[in-house]
Every structure is written in C-alpha cells, then in structure tokens.
Amino acid sequence: MTWHILGAGSLGSLWAARLARAGLPVRLILRNRQRLEAYRQAGGLTLVEAGQPMQYAIPAELPQADTPIHRLLLACKAYDAQSAVATIAGRLAPGAELLLLQNGLGSQDEVAQRLPKQRCLFVSSTEGAFRPADFQVVFAGNGHNWLGDPSDPQPPTWLDELQRAGIAHQWSPDILTRLWRKLALNCAINPLTVLHDCRNGGLTEHPAEVATLCAELDELLQRCGQPAAAENLHQEVQRVISATAANYSSMHQDVAQGRRTEISYLLGYACAAAQRHQLHVPHLQHLQQRLLSHLRERGLPLA
Ligand code: NAD
Ligand code: KPL
C-alpha cells in the first residue's frame, strides 16, 4: 500500500526518506505546480543523517491527482491540518487511514470530525528534524513515535513497515494521555523560554514560575480526566529542562525566526479546556496574555 505524505517539511521528509529507503512505495503530495517543479529540479529529497547526505528520488504529485489515497501521513503544522486535508479529501478511499503527526491537541479532532468514513491515528513524536534548505532535511535528534487511535485500541496491520523503515515507534492504546502529557510539558516550558528569551536550561533561574504552572497544569489534567498525564508532572518538567538545557524550545525557535507558532494548539488549547471545565487557572491565563502580547509586538499571528 502506498504511503502518501502531505506536508513535505521536516518530519514529513524524514518519514518519507526512511520509508522510501526501506523500499516501501511513497508519494509526496506537494502544494502546487510551482513546488512540484522546484522538487523536480532538486531531483528528490535529501536526508542528512550523522552528517551524511543521501538523496531519494521519491515520486511527487499534486493534491488534485486522480488516484485514491489509502494511507496518508499528514505532516504539516497543527494550524494547517484542516485546510491541507481538505485539498485531498475527495481522494480518500473509504476506510483509508490517516496518521496525524501534529503537536498539541485540537487539530486532530478538527480533522477526524470531518472524516467519519476514514480512520484517524494520532501520533506523538519526540524525533527532531529541521530543513536547512528546500527538500533537504537534517535528522537532528533521535526520538520515538507513539501511535494510537482514541476510538479503537486495535493496532493497524502495517506497523512492521515502520519497523523495516527504522522508524522508532510503539502502538499506544492511551495516545490521548501521551498527547496531553506532551502538551503539559510544552505549556510549562515553551512560553517561558520565549518570554525570558532563554534556552530550556535558563528556566532553572525561574523555579517558582515553573512550579506554579505545573500545579495548575496538574489540576487541569485531573479535571480533563487525564490523571495519568499529570503523574509527577513537575518532576518530569524539571527533568526535561535539565536534559534539554542547551536547546531552544520549538516555540522559541519559531518566534526567533519570525514563524507562526502553534500556540492555539498548546497553551491556547489548555486555557480553553480550563474555561470549558470552569477551572480557574490564573497563571496559565496570565502566561497566555503575556505570550500573545509578545507575539503581537513582533507582528506574529496570535492563533
Ligand atoms: P514543517 O513546517 O517543517 O513542515 C510542514 C510542511 O507542510 C511544510 O513544508 C508546508 O509547506 C507543508 N504544508 C502545509 N500546508 C500544506 C498544504 N495545504 N499542502 C501541502 N503542503 C502543506 O513542520 P514540521 O517541523 O515537520 O512539524 C510538523 C508537526 O510535527 C508540527 O505539529 C510540529 O510541532 C511537530 N513536530 C515537529 C518536530 C520537528 O523536529 N520538526 C518534532 C516533533 C513534533
Ligand atoms: O517538545 C519540546 C519543544 O521544544 O517543543 C520540549 C523539548 C519538550 C520542550 O517543551
């Protein structure tokens, strides 16, 4: 079965190159004719791993190609997920499987609600990749991918293909717990690194702020029916801060490079969930206001 990849950015290219390298059929779906022409000129996707570049001539097509899609990896940012899927929705076969690779929460439901005849698998990834140039991707950090389906605990039959491709993964019957846990970590770390303009390790100088946010996030997770995601949250946040001390968080990188952030699917999602549950989270709300002001001052989108 062909792997269609929509969103040939950092993670999409990383998955595409590894699947293709394992001899699996892969097709990239590029946004428009201009992108397709640029891709053809480049001659394929280049994956740089341990400093070694290797090019893969993966076939590419436009969203309006007429072949059906049975398996799709959606690898765009959370804020693009719904509109990207809309461009290929007419090609999705009944029963097609979609892997939603977006960080945070909210975008997965936006997509899944519109596709009642397809199966949406949610993915939580801790792999790291970036694009030094168009159609080039650097595999920057080994990590893991958890896949799951909140409405069906049965794993798909093709996980062995990920194994063959060397994509570290695990089927997770509690994928929402994983996604909530990652969201909580991101909410406790990322906005503060932006506001203090520091690497993750710089947050050791703001222990009280981190602790207060963790306490509110813990309460929020409990209220949202996610007690497992709340377990030892503060301890885990402190562990991640020291394990990634030298790194800039993904949100810090986005803001520093003038890129749109995924705020609506991270801190924005957390604050909206608190409001839905009538939970008072003054520190998270204040953090959101400070972050929005920061983005506004820099002319960056607020959603
Ligand atoms: P990216 O910006 O590098 O790639 C997204 C790609 O999607 C871009 O090439 C963009 O042009 C394309 N795209 C958007 N809309 C499209 C459309 N309508 N048609 C065709 N292409 C379209 O993003 P990324 O870094 O790969 O991140 C993807 C998701 O994975 C995000 O939610 C991110 O938070 C998450 N994530 C990324 C990393 C990482 O290291 N890059 C790690 C963990 C999680
Ligand atoms: O996922 C992260 C990010 O930067 O987005 C970590 C490293 C966990 C920091 O929140």
Side-chain angles (χ1 to χ4, degrees):
M1 180 99 56
T2 299
W3 285 84
H4 281 90
I5 311 250
L6 179 55
S10 307
L11 284 195
S13 300
L14 179 63
W15 278 60
R18 290 179 296 181
L19 290 164
R21 181 171 64 188
L24 294 159
V26 181
R27 294 187 76 81
L28 302 176
I29 302 176
L30 301 178
R31 202 189 280 271
N32 53 35
R33 282 192 189 286
Q34 217 178 343
R35 289 287 291 163
L36 191 57
E37 191 42 44
Y39 177 71
R40 288 190 175 139
Q41 294 285 331
L45 270 186
T46 300
L47 169 62
V48 183
E49 225 177 340
Q52 293 297 318
M54 186 70 82
Q55 194 178 56
Y56 301 91
I58 298 168
E61 63 191 34
L62 291 173
Q64 55 271 28
D66 52 13
T67 47
I69 296 172
H70 295 276
R71 191 181 300 153
L72 179 84
L73 177 72
L74 181 66
C76 58
K77 291 281 172 65
Y79 48 74
D80 280 329
Q82 219 181 329
S83 58
V85 166
T87 66
I88 52 86
R91 293 176 59 194
L92 289 171
E97 290 169 305
L98 288 84
L99 285 81
L100 310 179
L101 204 46
Q102 288 60 52
N103 201 13
L105 279 163
S107 68
Q108 300 89 344
D109 285 339
E110 288 170 3
V111 170
Q113 277 162 14
R114 286 169 180 251
L115 300 174
K117 296 198 179 107
Q118 283 78 23
R119 184 181 192 195
C120 288
L121 306 177
F122 298 7
V123 186
S124 179
S125 180
T126 58
E127 292 192 309
F130 67 90
R131 285 182 292 167
D134 254 3
F135 309 119
Q136 285 188 26
V137 60
V138 176
F139 192 3
N142 286 323
H144 204 80
N145 298 282
W146 286 269
L147 290 79
D149 176 349
S151 50
D152 181 356
Q154 205 53 30
T157 52
W158 41 258
L159 289 181
D160 61 311
E161 294 192 6
L162 301 186
Q163 193 72 31
R164 271 168 62 193
I167 298 175
H169 70 283
Q170 194 175 322
W171 179 250
S172 171
D174 57 355
I175 189 69
L176 287 180
T177 303
R178 291 246 161 232
L179 286 163
W180 268 110
R181 176 77 161 189
K182 179 130 192 280
L183 178 140
L185 286 168
N186 285 169
C187 287
I189 298 174
N190 298 10
L192 287 179
T193 62
V194 172
L195 295 170
H196 292 297
D197 189 15
C198 65
R199 295 173 197 264
N200 293 351
L203 297 187
T204 50
E205 286 168 31
H206 306 276
E209 250 183 314
V210 172
T212 314
L213 291 176
C214 287
E216 283 191 0
L217 285 162
D218 185 317
E219 230 187 310
L220 174 64
L221 291 168
Q222 306 286 352
R223 188 70 74 92
C224 292
Q226 295 292 335
E231 261 171 45
N232 301 321
L233 179 65
H234 186 209
Q235 232 175 305
E236 176 67 359
V237 165
Q238 288 172 310
R239 190 197 65 76
V240 171
I241 286 173
S242 54
T244 61
N247 300 353
Y248 283 107
S249 75
S250 55
M251 189 177 273
H252 187 287
Q253 291 177 43
D254 285 341
V255 174
Q257 290 169 34
R259 290 191 304 241
R260 183 175 174 181
T261 68
E262 294 181 299
I263 178 174
S264 299
Y265 301 88
L266 297 165
L267 185 56
Y269 186 88
C271 288
Q275 203 171 8
R276 254 194 331 273
H277 289 278
Q278 297 178 332
L279 180 70
H280 190 46
V281 285
H283 295 90
L284 284 169
Q285 269 165 355
H286 184 53
L287 183 69
Q288 188 188 29
Q289 290 320 314
R290 285 162 70 202
L291 186 58
L292 289 173
S293 302
H294 190 91
L295 298 178
R296 198 176 292 115
E297 279 161 22
R298 280 152 190 79
L300 291 173
L302 305 184

